[in-house]
Amino acid sequence: DHGAVRAEGDPSDIVVEYTETMLGGSATPGPESIRRGNGPLRVTRAEILADDTPAERLKTGQRLTIRLHYETAEPVHTPVFSVSIAPLGRPIVTAPTTRDAGNVPEVLAGAGVLDVTIDDLPLLPGPQGVHTEVSCYDLQQIPEHVQNAVTFVVMSRDTRETTGMVTMRPRWSYRSNAD
């Protein structure tokens, strides 16, 4: 920009911000979020609820609700919503969609809220990122994507597992060969 300072801070953060800007991303209300797309339906905010209460921290095994607030500029027919959950800097653990669940609305108009609930959170402790996406029914066009729409931290509840991303709730038992 003709020698003008555009940002100061951690160089890796600045490079990520610059790259996202060059890719057409724009900042969203969340400090770490990047929005792509210019479709008529936008996710305006994402929230994390633990047992129906707003939260930034949850425990393994707790009920998690991801609440998406959306707005439409015009009626949108058969939109498919998706949320992806990934430990920060690691692969996606799950990416459920309303299409997979057989819960695609015929049309959305105006503003609304969509909740996706996971009754028994299997994630092991650590920071998690939630990415949101709205696509056309055929999943070919993605007019709305928010990377890191919201983040949360999972803490241990009833597991002592420390390796991996999810708990499979293992049960261990010993038997003597003499039995």
Side-chain angles (χ1 to χ4, degrees):
D1 285 320
H2 308 292
V5 175
R6 295 291 307 245
E8 292 182 12
D10 184 316
S12 61
D13 293 339
I14 293 169
V15 168
V16 168
E17 184 179 316
Y18 173 78
T19 302
E20 292 295 343
T21 301
M22 296 305 295
L23 291 173
S26 62
T28 57
E32 302 292 323
S33 299
I34 297 295
R35 174 185 309 281
R36 290 194 185 94
N38 58 0
L41 192 156
R42 295 176 65 84
V43 173
T44 58
R45 185 166 55 114
E47 294 180 272
I48 296 295
L49 305 173
D51 298 325
D52 301 322
T53 302
E56 294 179 4
R57 299 179 193 280
L58 290 93
K59 293 182 179 177
T60 301
Q62 199 167 11
R63 185 174 63 244
L64 161 69
T65 299
I66 301 167
R67 178 165 290 161
L68 304 180
H69 298 259
Y70 64 84
E71 293 179 357
T72 66
E74 59 192 50
V76 177
H77 296 274
T78 61
V80 175
F81 286 84
S82 171
V83 295
S84 302
I85 301 175
L88 296 180
R90 298 185 69 190
I92 291 172
V93 174
T94 187
T97 74
T98 55
R99 180 178 167 175
D100 295 341
N103 191 2
V104 177
E106 287 295 318
V107 65
L108 289 179
V113 173
L114 173 65
D115 287 348
V116 57
T117 300
I118 299 168
D119 288 317
D120 183 9
L121 184 66
L123 296 174
L124 290 177
Q128 308 290 324
V130 175
H131 319 300
T132 66
E133 198 166 89
V134 180
S135 61
C136 299
Y137 189 80
D138 63 6
L139 305 179
Q140 298 300 309
Q141 296 177 335
I142 302 171
E144 171 73 351
H145 175 87
V146 182
Q147 187 79 13
N148 291 325
V150 66
T151 60
F152 64 98
V153 175
V154 175
M155 300 180 309
S156 182
R157 179 186 210 172
D158 58 357
T159 181
R160 293 184 182 204
E161 291 177 70
T162 58
T163 305
M165 294 185 280
V166 298
T167 180
M168 302 303 267
R169 304 255 181 234
R171 289 189 318 256
W172 299 77
S173 62
Y174 288 97
R175 283 190 315 266
S176 168
N177 285 341
D179 293 339

